Amino acid sequence: MSIYVGNLSYQVTEDDLKRVFEEYGRVSSVKLPTDRETGRMRGFAFVDMESSADEDKAIEGLDGAEWMGRDLKVNKARPREERSSSREGWGGGNRGGGRRF
């Protein structure tokens, strides 16, 4: 299971994250997603640790902690939802001219 790490500084690196999480156990991998168009970091990451006990310790120790000027959001990552191959639900639902805000 992966750990989701949110509200990251845009200057953080994989090595930075690995060092912080290694205080709680062995880190298997760190993934910093980037924007496809700009290549810029998206402000969150996924960290995999070798044991679920280490993951639990890291979540407990780091969720809400201030790091690099930001309060971290750290929790178990939810499984990625599959996207529909159809375009159903992608706008166009209210074609009557009314606007919703």
Side-chain angles (χ1 to χ4, degrees), residues 36-80:
R36 287 182 212 156
E37 293 179 20
T38 66
R40 187 173 165 201
M41 202 184 106
R42 296 177 63 192
F44 64 92
F46 296 98
V47 177
D48 292 322
M49 300 188 77
E50 289 191 7
S51 78
S52 59
D54 290 345
E55 287 178 351
D56 292 340
K57 287 189 292 185
I59 291 168
E60 185 176 323
L62 295 172
D63 187 38
E66 198 244 317
W67 186 54
M68 297 180 98
R70 297 185 174 235
D71 294 334
L72 297 178
K73 178 67 180 161
V74 182
N75 53 41
K76 294 247 186 214
R78 286 180 260 162
R80 186 174 184 167

Side-chain angles (χ1 to χ4, degrees), residues 16-29:
D16 293 334
L17 276 170
K18 188 172 182 179
R19 277 193 294 276
V20 168
F21 277 82
E22 281 180 335
E23 293 178 24
Y24 298 92
R26 298 189 70 159
V27 175
S28 303
S29 69

